[in-house]
Amino acid sequence: MNVHVAQARRTTATVLKQWSLPEASAEDARLVVSELVSNAIIHGSGDVRLRLRHDDHGLRIRVTDDSTAPARRRRASAAGLGGRGLHLVACLSLRWGVADGGRTTYAVIPILTEAPPCRRTTQSSTEPTC
């Protein structure tokens, strides 16, 4: 499983670099890709396919597998290892959802022109960073 997720992250990083997307958006996209591909591998079936597309409205990420069971957010327990992925996707995306009868999970990532405040680093070593 990790090999497929790592490969998807590398492919995403390469494509977004070729498209010259800002690093803040690329970082969010890599995390969203990791979560969506992981979910497809763990909960889906068949081959997992990743599609990326961007325009002025954002970066569209689509992950498709052969399962018709749609992705859904779960409530994570404090001690549980899972259940947080789609929450992260929701937080980082303009919108997310399922399509193609449950086979595709998608997310739209904003294309940021600068890093959000909590990702900015400061020059002073006395000021904390997020």
Side-chain angles (χ1 to χ4, degrees):
M1 174 180 85
N2 291 338
V3 173
H4 298 292
V5 174
Q7 180 182 2
R9 282 181 64 89
R10 282 192 303 274
T11 299
T12 299
T14 299
V15 168
L16 300 183
K17 190 171 187 173
Q18 290 172 349
W19 288 346
S20 300
L21 291 183
E23 182 55 32
S25 296
E27 183 178 333
D28 289 350
R30 289 188 301 267
L31 179 56
V32 168
V33 164
S34 293
E35 294 301 333
L36 294 182
V37 170
S38 292
N39 279 353
I41 291 169
I42 293 168
H43 303 291
S45 63
D47 292 332
V48 175
R49 295 166 302 282
L50 169 66
R51 288 184 26 189
L52 304 171
R53 188 176 60 134
H54 81 93
D55 58 25
D56 294 339
H57 303 291
L59 172 67
R60 286 167 174 63
I61 300 167
R62 296 173 58 92
V63 175
T64 303
D65 64 69
D66 295 331
S67 174
T68 57
R72 62 180 176 82
R73 286 172 71 169
R74 299 183 308 162
R75 171 170 252 117
S77 67
L81 296 176
R84 293 170 183 83
L86 288 178
H87 178 73
L88 289 171
V89 170
C91 289
L92 295 172
S93 304
L94 293 170
R95 64 185 174 281
W96 77 278
V98 295
D100 303 326
R103 290 182 177 87
T104 298
T105 306
Y106 67 88
V108 179
I109 305 296
I111 298 177
L112 305 172
T113 56
E114 63 180 56
C118 74
R119 291 205 184 131
R120 292 188 183 131
T121 57
T122 60
Q123 298 299 324
S124 169
S125 61
T126 60
E127 292 182 36
T129 58
C130 294

